[in-house]
Amino acid sequence: MSYRSIAIDGPAGAGKSTLARRLAKELGYLYVDTGAIYRTVTLAVLRAGADPAEEKDVVPLLEGLDIRMAYNDAGEQRMYLSGEDVSEAIREHMVSGAASKVSAIPAVRTFLLDFQRRQARENNVVMDGRDIGTVVLPGADMKIFLTAAPEARARRRLLELEQRGQRADYDAILRDIRERDHQDESRSVAPLKRAGDADLFDTTQLNLEQSLAGLLSLVKEKIGP
Ligand code: DC
């Protein structure tokens, strides 16, 4: 039996993970958040006291890494590092910044390639990341490049932090977003870019429900009900 795959790529804060998760639920597919996998490697690098930007410090750590991904009863993806559930720890601000550096190291990407592909060999998946349509699943049944203006992404992030009761500054968030975009787009290995055969989907003017409805109709058009 062959499985269906939908690849969703795009910059941080375009609503990718929320939309990919909701889309997967609507379709009954497994949602694979590949950013969480990179974040888990990054957490291991930080905990080892290594410099996330130094290839020669990071590469020797890969061999001994014990990373696992599992789904709980609610269908949520959980990440484990050496048996410890690190699903919350990988969301910390320090990990976000360092993940951009760790994910630019070619050996890290090669190391994670099969890990990601295996999920799509064994399940119908909606997989999101930066290079899913271009590198990880070039033969995906459908590819979506999801984006939004940096200012819209910064506003959404600010709201999210405020709702969690955290203090945040719009200008600092916008600066952070622009910096991460630049790092993700300019790296030499698997840079963030739209695959030639990906549908562009811009959520700047759309709320979550409108975006989901738009994505669902795209999916119906491309791969049927
Ligand atoms: O989507 P995110 O913010 O959780 O991703 C964390 C980091 O990992 C981000 O800097 C981009 C990187 N990443 C990547 O290089 N390739 C992917 N497929 C997914 C994430």
Side-chain angles (χ1 to χ4, degrees), residues 6 8-9 25 47 63 74 77 83 122 128 132 139 166 196:
I6 298 177
I8 303 188
D9 292 301
K25 201 166 174 201
R47 284 186 175 177
E63 211 176 310
Q77 174 181 328
E122 298 168 356
D128 81 353
I132 309 306
Q166 293 174 23

Side-chain angles (χ1 to χ4, degrees), residues 49-108:
D51 180 345
E54 273 301 332
E55 182 164 8
K56 67 174 187 353
D57 294 347
V58 172
V59 174
L61 297 173
L62 295 176
E63 211 176 310
L65 273 190
D66 171 13
I67 288 184
R68 250 183 348 106
M69 200 174 109
Y71 289 82
N72 66 13
D73 292 342
E76 293 162 349
Q77 174 181 328
R78 308 296 293 181
M79 295 304 305
Y80 295 85
L81 177 61
S82 304
E84 175 193 344
D85 186 342
V86 292
S87 312
E88 270 83 44
I90 60 172
R91 299 291 154 197
E92 280 170 23
H93 188 69
M94 224 180 120
V95 178
S96 304
S100 206
K101 300 190 175 85
V102 170
S103 61
I105 298 174
V108 170

Side-chain angles (χ1 to χ4, degrees), residues 144-155:
I144 298 161
F145 194 82
L146 198 77
T147 187
E151 294 78 8
R153 292 188 273 140
R155 274 196 305 276

